[in-house]
Amino acid sequence: MNTSWDVIIIGGGSAGLSAALMLGRSRRRVLVIDQARPRNRFAAHMHGVLGRDHTSPLDLLADGRRELARYDTVEVQTGGVASAALLDEGTEDGTEDGTEDGTEAAFEVVLDSGDTHITRRMLLATGLRDELPDVPGLAGQWGRGVVVCPYCDGWEVRDRSIAILAASPMSTHQAQLMRQLSADVTYLVNGTELPDELRSALIARGIVVEERLIASIETDASDTVTAVRLADGASVPVDAIFAGPAPAPLDALARELGAAVVDRQGSSWLDVDPMGRTSVPGLWAAGNVTDARSSVPFSMAAGNMAGAGLNADLVEEEVRKALAVTPVE
Ligand SMILES: Cc1cc2nc3c(=O)[nH]c(=O)nc-3n(C[C@H](O)[C@H](O)[C@H](O)COP(=O)(O)OP(=O)(O)OC[C@H]3O[C@@H](n4cnc5c(N)ncnc54)[C@H](O)[C@@H]3O)c2cc1C
């Protein structure tokens, strides 16, 4: 078994597979390790993805894996990465080698299976976990009656009864976007802060502001959302609920390696440059693990950029090494 790679990609969603395509086509030896639990696996269809609108997100990734099978440079394994350790940061002039064949080995990656791999570069494309509001009945509807993004799921519920379950004052933006799609929008404050100017803007566009706390999400016999039950027993009939889960980036592997983070969008994120390079030499990141707003096309583009950036980074290392062996006067 080959255990020495140019790039190991952790995560095989839109970002990771897109990076693998760029790297594989550049004749880089790539291993993708993927637990196959993409963030949007709860949704039957994805939207806003040109060429694949209203198709299954899982079909897109299956097609991506099939396309990668054309390249003998790429291997995709279903499984998890347990840990990654920095072996050798290399040197500025590339003269210090980490392995016998002269490769500047950078990371040792241990899989959940216990298998160990060595790689020159690593791309984290692990996505994020949505931490859902603790409302009875909500988690079971995630990706169906309860959704997050007006661009992803708004059109399908146009002209229907919509509720916005507030998570922060930012949720008013979601409500205003949905007002574009329906005249029947209710903003469920549920104990969150609602500044006066944002409240006025909701009311001005005919959005109902409901102050009473929520008790649960109600469904019918076919498990379709029908209403939001309030704490006083009243209910608000709804066809869909837009919620604002807290994003938890799955970036522990990078943080353990000491990658720098920045505060953004109310959370702490890996600090990456526009190509996806982190502060740890040889470690890159792309997709939802770096940004909650990263949609499928956005993640694919980020993976594409990171793939090209990683290849260029490896080429630079190879130029340095070639010059060290064959100095040009
Ligand atoms: C309900 C819902 C509906 C959505 N609908 C849309 C839509 O219609 N259109 C749209 O553009 N976007 C939509 N999105 C957003 C979309 O899910 C993300 O944009 C996309 O999944 C991000 O791709 P990614 O590759 O960064 O991460 P992911 O797709 O989440 O892929 C990350 C992969 O890494 C794997 N992984 C994580 N940790 C490890 C590890 N330690 N070892 C190995 N593998 C690991 C995961 O199992 C997963 O397979 C939706 C999101 C949600 C929650």
Side-chain angles (χ1 to χ4, degrees):
M1 185 176 63
N2 185 1
T3 57
S4 181
W5 305 90
D6 289 320
V7 183
I8 288 184
I9 298 175
I10 308 174
S14 306
L17 294 184
S18 171
L21 189 56
M22 293 295 276
L23 287 158
R25 290 182 52 77
S26 305
R27 285 196 142 175
R28 295 299 178 187
R29 290 163 298 129
V30 180
L31 174 64
V32 181
I33 301 291
D34 180 32
Q35 281 169 340
R37 293 169 57 81
R39 181 184 172 205
N40 52 1
R41 63 190 180 279
F42 304 96
H45 302 108
M46 60 183 177
H47 302 102
V49 182
L50 190 64
R52 300 297 290 241
D53 198 45
H54 201 67
T55 62
S56 154
L58 299 182
D59 284 355
L60 174 79
L61 299 180
D63 286 352
R65 283 195 184 208
R66 259 192 297 280
E67 286 167 4
L68 286 170
R70 289 183 62 220
Y71 301 93
D72 61 2
T73 44
V74 180
E75 187 172 325
V76 182
Q77 288 182 15
T78 300
V81 169
S83 67
L86 204 53
L87 285 181
D88 180 0
E89 294 183 20
T91 57
E92 279 298 303
D93 65 2
T95 52
E96 199 172 280
D97 292 330
T99 61
E100 284 174 13
D101 68 357
T103 302
E104 285 180 25
F107 301 96
E108 182 180 71
V109 177
V110 181
L111 309 191
D112 289 344
S113 63
D115 288 352
T116 300
H117 295 262
I118 304 293
T119 181
R120 298 168 68 188
R121 300 286 185 275
M122 196 162 73
L123 173 66
L124 199 65
T126 39
L128 63 77
R129 189 181 57 250
D130 290 291
E131 290 185 347
L132 302 179
D134 187 16
V135 174
L138 187 143
Q141 282 292 327
W142 182 234
R144 298 186 294 139
V146 180
V147 289
V148 60
C149 153
Y151 295 104
C152 303
D153 296 297
W155 172 265
E156 282 61 38
V157 291
R158 65 195 182 282
D159 293 329
R160 310 286 296 277
S161 300
I162 309 299
I164 308 298
L165 173 49
S168 73
M170 268 307 289
S171 299
T172 59
H173 179 60
Q174 229 178 4
Q176 295 289 7
L177 292 179
M178 284 312 298
R179 179 63 187 83
Q180 175 74 8
L181 292 157
S182 173
D184 181 359
V185 179
T186 302
Y187 188 81
L188 302 165
V189 180
N190 202 32
T192 59
E193 185 197 350
L194 180 56
D196 287 345
E197 70 276 18
L198 295 178
R199 178 191 303 272
S200 302
L202 293 173
I203 293 167
R205 289 188 81 211
I207 296 169
V208 175
V209 176
E210 175 56 68
E211 299 283 357
R212 288 171 287 182
L213 293 178
I214 312 176
S216 62
I217 307 300
E218 305 217 316
T219 53
D220 63 14
S222 64
D223 202 24
T224 301
V225 165
T226 53
V228 175
R229 175 72 58 189
L230 302 176
D232 67 359
S235 77
V236 179
V238 295
D239 297 309
I241 300 164
F242 283 73
L250 298 172
D251 59 9
L253 291 167
R255 288 176 188 252
E256 280 158 24
L257 289 167
V261 295
V262 286
D263 287 334
R264 227 178 336 105
Q265 303 158 14
S267 272
S268 163
W269 298 90
L270 292 176
D271 191 9
V272 289
D273 77 4
M275 298 297 283
R277 197 190 295 260
T278 74
S279 64
V280 176
L283 175 65
W284 297 56
N288 259 170
V289 72
T290 68
D291 192 328
R293 297 164 303 184
S294 190
S295 62
V296 167
F298 187 127
S299 300
M300 224 183 264
N304 178 284
M305 295 277 276
L310 278 156
N311 184 45
D313 192 44
L314 288 165
V315 167
E316 279 173 26
E317 177 187 307
E318 284 147 11
V319 170
R320 286 196 302 271
K321 287 160 66 80
L323 284 171
V325 174
T326 317
V328 179
E329 295 303 319

